[in-house]
Amino acid sequence: MTQYRLGEIEAKFTALIWDNEPLTSGRLAELCRETLSWKKSTTYTVLRRLCQRGIVQNDGGVVTSLLSREEFSALQSEEFVEEAFDGSLPKFLTAFTFRKKLSSEEIDQLQQLIDKSRR
């Protein structure tokens, strides 16, 4: 099973790809040197790891994401709810709202999502 979790550094790296794709692996190495102070070898190691996990691809030296930022966030959220709350969204929402009161706007947004899902 693919793990849709990224450490802090992997998240910054993936954000560079999302913000600049498509880009060459050489350009990615330059961006990582400039923004993360990485050596080229570090860039290629992390790139290879994320390619193996199916999050990005390096096709002929051109790096692109296989998942959009939104798709990745959705998969990450699903995985979290599955692991922490036995896949139960109501259990998650109960835990989430136990200490944090929802605003009227948040309640309206959730109601809109519920109404949309019923259609």
Side-chain angles (χ1 to χ4, degrees):
M1 177 170 125
T2 302
Q3 291 283 319
Y4 295 105
R5 288 197 191 120
L6 297 177
E8 182 180 347
I9 295 300
E10 289 175 328
K12 289 179 182 179
F13 179 80
T14 307
L16 280 175
I17 295 171
W18 281 321
D19 292 343
N20 295 282
E21 68 180 316
L23 70 164
T24 65
S25 55
R27 177 65 183 138
L28 179 59
E30 288 174 19
L31 286 171
C32 288
R33 181 181 45 78
E34 294 167 5
T35 60
L36 303 172
S37 301
W38 284 6
K39 294 180 181 179
K40 188 185 286 189
S41 60
T42 303
T43 298
Y44 290 125
T45 297
V46 176
L47 177 59
R48 185 177 65 250
R49 192 177 331 139
L50 293 178
C51 286
Q52 290 169 344
R53 290 171 58 192
I55 297 169
V56 300
Q57 68 179 356
N58 183 2
D59 185 19
V62 177
V63 179
T64 56
S65 63
L66 292 172
L67 300 168
S68 70
R69 211 182 290 249
E70 294 77 16
E71 290 169 321
F72 184 80
S73 292
L75 288 166
Q76 215 175 18
S77 299
E78 288 172 21
E79 190 174 275
F80 173 73
V81 170
E82 185 63 40
E83 289 178 6
F85 299 96
D86 298 322
S88 171
L89 187 57
K91 285 182 183 178
F92 167 76
L93 289 172
T94 299
F96 185 82
T97 59
F98 183 74
R99 295 182 59 168
K100 182 188 183 295
K101 184 174 169 49
L102 294 176
S103 69
S104 292
E105 183 179 311
E106 290 170 323
I107 292 169
D108 290 343
Q109 289 172 343
L110 287 171
Q111 187 61 55
Q112 288 174 4
L113 286 171
I114 291 167
D115 293 343
K116 185 178 176 182
S117 293
R118 286 188 178 171
R119 293 182 198 149

